[in-house]
Amino acid sequence: MVRAYLLGSIAVTALVSSPAALAQTPSPSDSQSTAAVAQNGTGKRTTSYDAAYFAQYAPRTALDIARRVPGFQLDLGATQTDLGQVDVRGFAGTAGNVVFNGARPTSKAETLEVTLARIPAQRVIRVEVGPGDLYGSDYSGKSQVLNVILSAASGIDGNVTAAGTRRYNGYINTDISGSAVIRKGASTFNLSAGTGRNRQIEEGTDTLTDVETGEQVEFRRKHNSYFNRDPYVSGSWALERASDSAYRFNVRYQPSRFDLHQDNRVTTADGQRNDNLDQHFRNPLIEIGGDVTRPLAGGAIKLVGLATRRKRDDTETYLLRDGLIEDGGSVVGGFDQNIEAKRNETIGRLSWTRSNLAGFSVEIGAEAALNTLDSTVELFAFDEDGNRNRIDLPLDDATVKERRGEVYFSIGRNLSDKLRIDGGLNYEFSNLKVRGDTRADRTLKFLKPNLSLDWQPGGGWHGRLSVRRTVAQLDFYDFISVAELSTDRVNAGNENLEPQRTWEFRLTAEHPFLGDGLIKLDLGHDRISMLQDRILIFDDEGNGFDAPGNIGAGNRSFAELTVDAPLGQLWSGLRAKFTGTIQRTRVEDPISGDMRKFSGFFPAWQWRVDVRRDAGKWSYGFSVNDNQRFTFYRTDEFDTNFNGGPYGTAFIEYRPTAKTSITFDVDNVFETSGNRTRRLFLPNRAAPEDVIDEVRERNRHLSFGLTLKQSFGGSSGTGVAKAD
């Protein structure tokens, strides 16, 4: 019985990467600064910032520029699964909120941050911020989209970045990356590569207590060393003669790998022992995409093709000993798991757009996609003699195939110079098949309407109201059973899982503040059906397992305030940005029947403050953020994650020349820990026989980084691009 093997041995625990630990992920300063800005006038729906506005920051890439646009926040579009892979529904789901020369990039594997980082800042003439309807149906529900206007001047521009970071134990992590843009006539070539090295060191403790007796069951002292190596090579070519005459092609290869070694010193009533966890994950990825745009019937017809191929080759081993290694402790148990999988996606899309058809802007399109997963999981338990015995999980060998199609129509019109209305309708249909350890077929059909109003009443005010229906992407790995050796639990697969559906209501209001600053308020409400969470399922022998499932209807409401304030009147070059969010989520728990929050990262509040000052060749600043604790409500545990306090970073940058910058930064300034509490119900919450409390604390401590960025090419390096 699988559950008896895993939960029967409380010793098999380790924290590899919890959501709480994410609080300690380094984040660059993205505060804004003061400079001249071309504001929108009456009747104009965009705010434009030319390259000179960003010159004082000496930006090296388009990403540096995007992070310093007043009031703008990057929406990466793509979501990350537990495997760190991009997995969203179709092509439109990865749109994000950035376009380049009015067109979106043809990629799903590459996030907007990566795409922006590949473009040298010298190539940027200006950026424009406007409502999403200006850039097609993929962006129609977005209040802000950033259009990066690139120079058509011939020449070569590029960047090289070399970074070193000292971890708290003295280890120096190094990383190097570079990119170049070659422009000749109407053709543009973009090449980039990097080592993608990130080794993190952390230490902490686990304390397990029997809830009924109050006695300590185990105490663990842990040291984790985990190493991400994600080298990559990417390139693109574009031939752009006009907005309705363009050819684009892109390719990316990334042979990703992750390695973890964990040392555990476990103390129980019977003494001490050494346990170890080792993980070796190999997840290579290749993506090829492109699009062709040609004039047709007074508009433009566009064909998009995209193919993404991912592999997964994971091995992990947990060894349980009967004593300390220095005392001759030998292996008396543990687990070994191997996962092999292929995850493929192929997308084709055809659309026609026309900006003025009897006074209306029109877009018509169709999309087809083929998604497949072929996965095999092998789980073994070690006996006292060191022999491996196979454990059969309820659904560990399966293939998943989805054929999906979608047709859509969108239309918009300016009702006046201050008011615009846009609407559309998408019809989606898909056929999903699961084969292997089980057999499940189903056909899904969805209508997805959308409507938005964009209003500029004058006096600098801008408001937007929208409503739309969305359908979430299924993570195909949710169909497959897998053990988590780091947390001593099994995630069962659920072949009957369906995507959740949401009616999204959004209201945005914004107004200039202190010159080129901005105050923005976003209000939202989601009404969700078939909400995906965790449910209790049973195998043929009556054993219960925690699995992903649909639990019914839920509601989410939120308010987000952004204040981007130039404070040059207090101190020249000073700028501060505050973002704060409060939200409330409610759904009925499938086991207790009580109303509770959504499971996952839905904190009731979160905030972030960025402060930066630019003074000649120097810049310096800091960032502080925090959020309320949040909980994963599993059928056999409550898994709560929280920070030990606010999390902070700081930096100082010196620019000895116009093309060179040297940055010193400090990560985790307050030495904030990432914490986690787990209340374990054995065998599950529906029929608990034993209840164990587990408290985990992890800390990466202070890290000190030094980064050198060097630009090269024909521009002046001041951030002012040269237009044709």
Side-chain angles (χ1 to χ4, degrees), residues 475-495:
D475 182 354
F476 279 13
Y477 284 101
D478 283 339
F479 292 92
I480 310 299
S481 299
V482 64
E484 290 185 29
L485 302 190
S486 64
T487 50
D488 184 29
R489 65 190 182 196
V490 169
N491 293 311
N494 181 4
E495 69 276 16

Side-chain angles (χ1 to χ4, degrees), residues 16-18 21-22 24-26 80-85 167 171-176 194-202 224-232 254-261 279-283 314 700:
V16 178
S17 177
S18 73
L22 294 178
Q24 301 201 43
T25 302
Q80 298 293 319
T81 69
D82 291 338
L83 303 172
Q85 298 170 342
R167 307 303 183 194
Y171 174 79
I172 305 295
N173 183 78
T174 59
D175 187 33
I176 187 169
T195 58
R197 300 178 79 257
N198 183 22
R199 185 184 180 193
Q200 292 280 1
I201 311 293
E202 70 179 13
N224 295 331
S225 171
Y226 45 98
F227 200 170
N228 288 92
R229 279 167 283 190
D230 299 312
Y232 66 91
Q254 183 172 311
S256 176
R257 61 184 295 177
F258 170 84
D259 296 284
L260 172 133
H261 178 73
Q279 295 180 329
H280 305 286
F281 299 163
R282 306 293 180 262
N283 307 127
D314 297 353
R700 298 177 186 173

Side-chain angles (χ1 to χ4, degrees), residues 108-164:
K108 286 190 69 175
E110 192 170 85
T111 67
L112 278 177
E113 283 188 331
V114 173
T115 303
L116 287 163
R118 290 199 288 114
I119 301 173
Q122 305 96 293
R123 304 303 303 183
V124 179
I125 298 175
R126 68 181 184 277
V127 296
E128 300 172 347
V129 183
D133 58 77
L134 294 174
Y135 306 103
S137 61
D138 289 350
Y139 302 92
S140 60
K142 301 181 183 295
S143 62
Q144 282 188 325
V145 172
L146 184 72
N147 185 16
V148 181
I149 309 299
L150 303 176
S151 172
S154 296
I156 301 175
D157 291 284
N159 294 293
V160 175
T161 300

Side-chain angles (χ1 to χ4, degrees), residues 484-635:
E484 290 185 29
L485 302 190
S486 64
T487 50
D488 184 29
R489 65 190 182 196
V490 169
N491 293 311
N494 181 4
E495 69 276 16
N496 297 312
L497 187 65
E498 291 195 22
Q500 67 182 30
R501 298 80 146 159
T502 305
W503 281 100
E504 298 180 353
F505 302 87
R506 299 290 185 267
L507 175 63
T508 298
E510 61 183 52
H511 192 274
F513 178 61
L514 295 179
D516 66 341
L518 189 74
I519 294 181
K520 182 161 70 82
L521 177 65
D522 293 290
L523 303 176
H525 179 71
D526 295 339
R527 298 180 62 85
I528 304 170
S529 60
M530 302 292 289
L531 179 71
Q532 184 176 327
D533 206 299
R534 312 297 298 187
I535 63 172
L536 187 61
I537 65 174
F538 296 88
D539 63 12
D540 295 337
E541 299 177 359
N543 300 314
F545 295 89
D546 179 271
N550 303 104
I551 65 172
N555 291 278
R556 171 181 177 243
S557 299
F558 69 90
E560 179 177 282
L561 176 66
T562 300
V563 180
D564 195 333
L567 303 176
Q569 293 182 350
L570 299 178
W571 195 5
S572 64
L574 182 65
R575 195 174 191 106
K577 181 179 179 180
F578 168 81
T579 302
T581 303
I582 57 173
Q583 68 178 331
R584 186 175 189 269
T585 59
R586 303 300 290 168
V587 68
E588 183 179 310
D589 188 271
I591 292 181
S592 68
D594 297 330
M595 299 300 294
R596 60 163 172 82
K597 297 179 180 178
F598 286 3
S599 183
F601 187 73
F602 292 95
W605 53 263
Q606 56 183 319
W607 58 267
R608 179 185 178 96
V609 174
D610 295 280
V611 177
R612 175 184 176 116
R613 182 172 186 259
D614 295 274
K617 293 185 176 183
W618 292 89
S619 297
Y620 46 90
F622 64 89
S623 174
V624 182
N625 67 86
D626 198 6
N627 57 260
Q628 193 203 39
R629 61 182 61 203
F630 55 94
T631 300
F632 294 83
Y633 297 90
R634 299 173 63 93
T635 61

